[in-house]
Amino acid sequence: MGVRLMVVDDHRLLAEALASALKLRGHRVLAAAAPSAGAAELVVSRAPEVCLLGTAAPAQPGAFDPVVRIKKERPQVAVVVLGPVPSPRGIAAAFAAGASGYVRNDERIEGVERAMMKARAGESAVSPQLLQQAFEELLHPAAQPDDEGARLLELLTPREVEVLMRVAEGEDTRLIAAGMDIAPSTARTHVQRVLMKLEVGSRLEAAALAARTGLLDRAVGGRAAVVRPTAADPAEPRDHPVPPPH
């Protein structure tokens, strides 16, 4: 016996293709629509047995809000999420919202059909392979990507971070020197050190690199630490002569 269902997906063409394939297999597809503010309302108004809900980003906040709305107003509708390989939290979030199943969006039509039938029967529809992949990630999490901004920030002394911030704000050597109460020659030395450590050839490149990697945001957060006197610059030239002892 065919299933009365709706297909709701980010990509209208994919939704329509899946709907057509399911129609050929004897199922009654009520609608195929792209998600929008009214997607949940459409499902609620048509009350299918099963809703196939596509999502490209299951980890994003609010990704399963339509599921919550559907289950609140039409608890008898079984929602099966179609999405990429999720993290364990992604699967948990889908089921916490009220979904009856989670199927990879590149699953063969037979797999989608099996999930639909299980969901309509009140069973949880998650393939063993998908669960295995999720638990593998849980047991052996992938290494976090290199945080280039944090790495670059560690290369600079607090004094050099302040210089970089001023460079990014468009200050020239004279303004940097005045703002930091140091000699222009010292400011120039600091700028050259910053360029060398960041491996860039100009102030503009330094500012662009800092903005791209988030270094500036981190620097702003730690600006209080930047302006404190520090012993991290032992080679910094003295700006004022030390008076002889009396």
Side-chain angles (χ1 to χ4, degrees):
M1 181 179 175
V3 178
R4 293 174 57 254
L5 68 119
M6 292 183 65
V7 180
V8 182
D9 197 278
D10 289 323
H11 303 284
R12 183 174 294 276
L13 290 178
L14 295 180
E16 292 176 349
L18 179 57
S20 297
L22 291 170
K23 284 179 181 178
L24 291 176
R25 299 179 75 87
H27 301 289
R28 182 185 173 194
V29 183
L30 301 180
S36 65
E41 291 183 9
L42 183 62
V43 176
V44 168
S45 65
R46 302 299 295 272
E49 294 177 290
V50 177
C51 171
L52 296 179
L53 177 69
T55 177
Q60 283 189 352
F64 301 118
D65 285 353
V67 182
V68 175
R69 167 82 185 282
I70 292 167
K71 296 303 292 184
K72 179 180 179 181
E73 301 194 27
R74 294 285 186 180
Q76 74 276 18
V77 176
V79 181
V80 177
V81 175
L82 299 175
V85 177
S87 66
R89 289 184 179 181
I91 292 180
F95 279 91
S100 299
Y102 194 110
V103 181
R104 283 181 53 163
N105 50 17
D106 59 354
E107 178 66 71
R108 296 172 63 89
I109 190 67
E110 294 84 1
V112 175
E113 189 174 37
R114 282 195 298 270
M116 288 165 34
M117 303 300 287
K118 291 183 70 174
R120 185 178 68 169
E123 302 175 35
S124 296
V126 183
S127 71
Q129 295 85 354
L130 188 57
L131 283 178
Q132 182 179 0
Q133 287 174 304
F135 282 120
E136 279 292 325
E137 181 182 334
L138 185 63
L139 295 173
H140 307 287
Q144 293 297 317
D146 178 47
D147 188 336
E148 188 177 2
R151 180 180 62 81
L152 293 175
L153 191 59
E154 290 180 357
L155 297 176
L156 305 176
T157 66
R159 204 70 156 152
E160 290 164 353
V161 170
E162 184 175 3
V163 169
L164 177 59
M165 292 174 65
R166 292 178 179 277
V167 167
E169 291 170 0
E171 294 186 8
D172 58 19
T173 301
R174 179 181 57 80
L175 288 175
I176 292 173
M180 297 178 65
D181 193 25
I182 57 178
S185 59
T186 302
R188 197 173 300 109
T189 298
H190 280 312
V191 171
Q192 291 304 314
R193 285 179 182 171
V194 170
L195 299 184
M196 178 184 66
K197 289 183 177 182
L198 298 184
E199 298 182 353
V200 294
S202 69
R203 299 182 183 210
L204 182 59
E205 289 180 70
L209 177 64
R212 178 175 61 80
T213 60
L215 193 161
L216 286 178
D217 293 334
R218 293 174 177 273
V220 169
R223 189 160 191 168
V226 170
V227 298
R228 291 200 306 265
T230 176
D233 295 314
E236 179 179 332
R238 292 186 180 274
D239 303 324
H240 307 288
V242 178
H246 295 293

